[in-house]
Amino acid sequence: KAGVTQTPRYLIKTRGQQVTLSCSPISGHRSVSWYQQTPGQGLQFLFEYFSETQRNKGNFPGRFSGRQFSNSRSEMNVSTLELGDSALYLCASSLGPTGASYEQYFGPGTRLTVT
Amino acid sequence: AQSVTQLDSHVSVSEGTPVLLRCNYSSSYSPSLFWYVQHPNKGLQLLLKYTSAATLVKGINGFEAEFKKSETSFHLTKPSAHMSDAAEYFCVVQIKAAGNKLTFGGGTRVLVKP
């Protein structure tokens, strides 16, 4: 069974631009979570989607948004990029929502660099 | 609010010697606890999890962790390190009362010397 895939793997953007990252979960998984990983702040939870509905949201500004499609694929969008948004963005999928004892499987991440 | 502290940012061991990665958590509620490993340019892989069953948890690749409520600790150990264990390790806490969001520790980078 294919793992979690994230596209693109690497991305370079300029301050002020917007970016969309994509995550395809493992087949049959209905929950997708997004995390930001930076050297300074470590790993931080962004949001979780289950059955096209946002279930949880971390402490990030409204510039960060996401959505989930009927096939469980998810996208996250960051508008008006700032230098501090440079990070590895990780996506994780699970059969069900977090907290229901479903293991999360992580993708390899998208490395975003903002210049 | 819950928090996780990994007491060592870097650990260096020789191949074949034991590995100890320390993790302390803070929570007003009974937590679920996890250890994840991240190899370079890879996503995170679950090593093991504690969810209020046995306090000694065995995971993959010979790792195990012991939940000690009195010490609010969940240290990860392996009796004999292998070169392939060189990676970054994350201790994670999850609280049902806090919406089940995962809170990650700062990570411990493990170096294995031949």
Side-chain angles (χ1 to χ4, degrees):
Chain A
K1 192 184 271 192
V4 178
T5 56
Q6 293 186 244
T7 55
R9 291 292 312 278
Y10 302 91
L11 203 49
I12 299 175
K13 289 286 189 178
T14 304
R15 270 180 302 175
Q17 289 186 313
Q18 68 96 26
V19 67
T20 299
L21 311 182
S22 180
C23 172
S24 292
I26 292 172
S27 178
H29 285 195
R30 296 169 59 196
S31 175
V32 172
S33 297
W34 289 89
Y35 300 86
Q36 182 196 63
Q37 185 176 23
T38 61
Q41 299 298 318
L43 268 156
Q44 297 183 90
F45 169 78
L46 278 157
F47 27 65
E48 178 198 3
Y49 287 87
F50 176 71
S51 293
E52 302 178 64
T53 301
Q54 188 179 87
R55 292 189 72 248
N56 261 319
K57 191 175 190 308
N59 297 324
F60 280 81
R63 300 185 298 106
F64 291 81
S65 63
R67 59 178 174 168
Q68 186 179 35
F69 302 95
S70 59
N71 62 358
S72 295
R73 190 177 70 86
S74 177
E75 290 180 346
M76 68 163 280
N77 184 277
V78 187
S79 62
T80 320
L81 283 165
E82 300 177 359
L83 294 178
D85 298 332
S86 295
L88 180 67
Y89 290 87
L90 292 166
C91 162
S93 78
S94 59
L95 278 169
T98 56
S101 300
Y102 294 111
E103 179 180 341
Q104 290 198 344
Y105 294 82
F106 283 79
T110 293
R111 172 79 60 188
L112 172 65
T113 302
V114 182
T115 63
Chain B
Q2 70 270 21
S3 66
V4 184
T5 302
Q6 291 183 240
L7 299 168
D8 306 291
S9 60
H10 292 81
V11 166
S12 180
V13 298
S14 298
E15 191 175 21
T17 64
V19 182
L20 168 65
L21 305 185
R22 299 181 294 166
C23 172
N24 285 102
Y25 69 92
S26 171
S27 172
S28 303
Y29 303 92
S30 295
S32 294
L33 293 158
F34 308 81
W35 276 99
Y36 281 87
V37 61
Q38 185 178 31
H39 288 94
N41 299 314
K42 296 279 183 70
L44 278 73
Q45 181 185 19
L46 180 66
L47 282 176
L48 49 79
K49 63 180 178 182
Y50 165 78
T51 54
S52 77
T55 56
L56 183 62
V57 183
K58 293 192 183 299
I60 62 172
N61 301 335
F63 285 95
E64 64 181 37
E66 186 172 10
F67 173 68
K68 292 187 177 180
K69 187 175 181 179
S70 60
E71 299 175 12
T72 60
S73 69
F74 190 56
H75 301 335
L76 181 71
T77 60
K78 182 173 180 177
S80 177
H82 190 272
M83 295 299 292
S84 61
D85 295 327
E88 189 157 20
Y89 293 78
F90 294 92
C91 182
V92 183
V93 64
Q94 181 184 48
I95 307 294
K96 192 172 184 179
N100 288 310
K101 289 181 279 190
L102 299 184
T103 300
F104 288 78
T108 298
R109 191 169 295 278
V110 173
L111 172 66
V112 182
K113 298 176 289 186

